[in-house]
Amino acid sequence: MSQISRDARKTLDLLRLRADTPGTKNRNHLNNAGAALMPSPVIEAVVGYLSREGEIGGYEAAAESNSLLEGTYDSLATFVNCGRDEIAISENATIAWQRAFYSLSFRPGDRILTASVEFAANYIAFLQVAKRTGVSIEVIPNDASGVLDPDALAKMIDDRVRLIAVTWIPTNGGLINPAAAIGRIARKNGILYLLDACQAAGQIPIDVNALGCDILTATGRKFLRAPRGTGFMYMRKSLVDKIEPAMIDLYGAPWTGPDRYELRPDARRFETWEKNCSVRLGLRAAVDYALDIGLENIEERCNHLSSKLREGLRGIRAVSVHDLGRPLASIISFTVNDWDSSSVMAYLNGKGINVSVSPPSSTPVDAYTRQLPPVVRASPHYYNTEEEIDAFLEAIASIAS
Ligand SMILES: Cc1ncc(COP(=O)(O)O)c(C=O)c1O
């Protein structure tokens, strides 16, 4: 498996990083919050393994690559700073999140505290559990800049708060919620803390101990640059030890007698037996690739490119930038006067520029509160160039009059 050189890491050797990314030859890819371009080591890991399955058989290929596959847990553990027994791999972030959330028990009167920018899938699950159990869902107020206000959260705490579940960086903009400050409040009050790090993974450093979360979930395909159909969950070992997954199978809870099963001692109790091994190896390669570049380097470069893009958009009169908060992540959402967002996306697409559209239904509370229309979402990554940002801004300026 090829790795980028130490020199490339130090200086963020753009030529090398782009040579490693075949998609950069074809597209100006500013859709990394949707799915990033995979680097060659990721593609090679997936394709190589799939070929091997074809050559010698699926079970046989898994046995042959067992230590590589096991290494995925080690890579993810390094990536978020936890033990390998605290990682479960999943098909996406939603499944990881659901497996954790639906394993918690709630009683009538319990309270779930969440963020205004909570991802829709999470919020819909809150609504279902509220319907089933009588739990209440409460949105933590934001400060004047739109970021979740830790002081307001602290004032909401009482002994009925069962869960704090928030999205760190939302799907519809560059806002970064104060995840570690939330963690300190959760820890101080002994409240479970579930953090959706889907848009953070691969974009900024993650340290679950510094964050103080009990559970963290993320996807592979976004800023982490892994294949589609990958995700993972971190769960603190002390919680793993006492939680029974809502659903179990013979992998997560082996059968030990006629009327008995025993839960695995690690977070893999949330997994099932059958897995797509090829994309797991791709996930491992993507994590190793990001670690090799260094998450601080990635964050810095993302910051640079996204500031340039955001400032450029702010300078175009017919454009409204909808991001809230400060500091801001590498997701910029905007609308163009007299254009609906899907037409803007199609126009850019015709010019070889990839962006996506965030509909209001992806962040229902925020979109409803701010009366947001569908917004165009541009999300540069470290491998993008300044010239690509300029080309994007030129294209927008040419339609925004
Ligand atoms: C903040 C956030 N959370 C969760 C998800 C869901 O991730 P997945 O599609 O991998 O299930 C997304 C996807 O866009 C997201 O942006």
Side-chain angles (χ1 to χ4, degrees), residues 33 91-95 117 119 121-122 167 169-172 196 198-199 218-222 230 377:
E91 295 84 336
N92 55 50
T94 302
I95 288 184
V117 291
F119 186 63
N122 308 350
T167 295
I169 298 177
T171 201
N172 70 335
D196 177 334
C198 197
Q199 296 288 2
T219 208
R221 73 179 182 284
K222 297 180 186 288
T230 55
R377 182 178 68 174

Side-chain angles (χ1 to χ4, degrees), residues 80-145:
V80 301
N81 190 26
C82 71
R84 72 193 309 277
D85 53 352
E86 296 178 302
I87 294 288
I89 300 173
S90 60
E91 295 84 336
N92 55 50
T94 302
I95 288 184
W97 191 96
Q98 288 173 339
R99 283 181 182 155
F101 175 70
Y102 281 99
S103 302
L104 304 174
S105 52
F106 295 97
R107 287 172 310 195
D110 281 351
R111 301 166 68 204
I112 296 175
L113 307 186
T114 190
S116 65
V117 291
E118 195 64 7
F119 186 63
N122 308 350
Y123 201 81
I124 291 163
F126 297 151
L127 292 174
Q128 186 187 44
V129 164
K131 195 163 69 177
R132 284 181 182 166
T133 67
V135 72
S136 72
I137 312 157
E138 294 167 48
V139 175
I140 305 159
N142 296 324
D143 66 17
S145 75

Side-chain angles (χ1 to χ4, degrees), residues 56-364:
I56 64 168
Y59 287 19
E60 293 73 14
E64 182 180 76
S65 290
N66 185 47
S67 63
L68 273 180
L69 285 161
E70 279 296 314
T72 311
Y73 294 92
D74 297 301
S75 293
L76 284 166
T78 306
F79 184 62
V80 301
N81 190 26
C82 71
R84 72 193 309 277
D85 53 352
E86 296 178 302
I87 294 288
I89 300 173
S90 60
E91 295 84 336
N92 55 50
T94 302
I95 288 184
W97 191 96
Q98 288 173 339
R99 283 181 182 155
F101 175 70
Y102 281 99
S103 302
L104 304 174
S105 52
F106 295 97
R107 287 172 310 195
D110 281 351
R111 301 166 68 204
I112 296 175
L113 307 186
T114 190
S116 65
V117 291
E118 195 64 7
F119 186 63
N122 308 350
Y123 201 81
I124 291 163
F126 297 151
L127 292 174
Q128 186 187 44
V129 164
K131 195 163 69 177
R132 284 181 182 166
T133 67
V135 72
S136 72
I137 312 157
E138 294 167 48
V139 175
I140 305 159
N142 296 324
D143 66 17
S145 75
V147 171
L148 187 149
D149 181 356
D151 293 335
L153 167 62
K155 289 194 190 111
M156 294 172 86
I157 302 296
D158 66 18
D159 56 12
R160 291 182 305 128
V161 177
R162 168 89 178 103
L163 176 70
I164 299 171
V166 302
T167 295
W168 191 356
I169 298 177
T171 201
N172 70 335
L175 179 143
I176 306 177
N177 270 325
I182 297 168
R184 283 192 288 279
I185 295 168
R187 290 277 65 74
K188 183 171 160 216
N189 294 283
I191 297 168
L192 272 180
Y193 177 24
L194 162 53
L195 183 62
D196 177 334
C198 197
Q199 296 288 2
Q203 185 182 173
I204 57 177
I206 299 180
D207 177 340
V208 290
N209 292 310
L211 290 165
C213 56
D214 300 288
I215 307 162
L216 176 143
T217 55
T219 208
R221 73 179 182 284
K222 297 180 186 288
F223 286 90
L224 193 45
R225 307 184 68 192
R228 294 196 67 173
T230 55
F232 71 93
M233 162 172 69
Y234 152 79
M235 185 178 281
R236 189 181 297 283
K237 183 69 169 72
S238 54
L239 179 58
V240 171
D241 288 342
K242 58 183 187 214
I243 196 167
E244 172 129 3
M247 290 168 292
I248 48 176
D249 83 337
L250 73 176
Y251 178 80
W255 186 69
T256 54
D259 54 3
R260 281 196 308 276
Y261 61 84
E262 203 170 302
L263 290 167
R264 280 184 65 107
D266 53 25
R268 293 190 223 181
R269 61 178 55 181
F270 289 92
E271 295 187 12
T272 50
W273 192 86
E274 172 59 1
K275 309 159 166 51
N276 182 338
C277 297
S278 65
V279 294
R280 281 178 169 233
L281 289 184
L283 176 62
R284 175 192 168 154
V287 172
D288 291 348
Y289 195 86
L291 288 171
D292 214 35
I293 297 171
L295 271 303
E296 284 82 6
N297 294 333
I298 292 175
E299 180 182 25
E300 198 182 310
R301 170 97 184 145
C302 282
N303 215 337
H304 169 67
L305 292 176
S306 60
S307 303
K308 177 175 168 63
L309 193 151
R310 196 174 270 117
E311 287 321 308
L313 280 179
R314 287 205 172 113
I316 303 174
R317 227 166 0 110
V319 169
S320 308
V321 178
H322 295 284
D323 295 341
L324 295 176
R326 191 153 292 278
L328 287 157
S330 201
I331 303 179
I332 302 99
S333 55
F334 66 97
T335 45
V336 182
N337 283 357
D338 305 326
W339 280 73
D340 69 64
S341 291
S342 49
S343 303
V344 176
M345 181 174 89
Y347 171 79
L348 291 172
N349 210 266
K351 293 193 158 300
I353 303 171
N354 295 351
V355 295
S356 54
V357 171
S358 280
S361 57
S362 66
T363 40

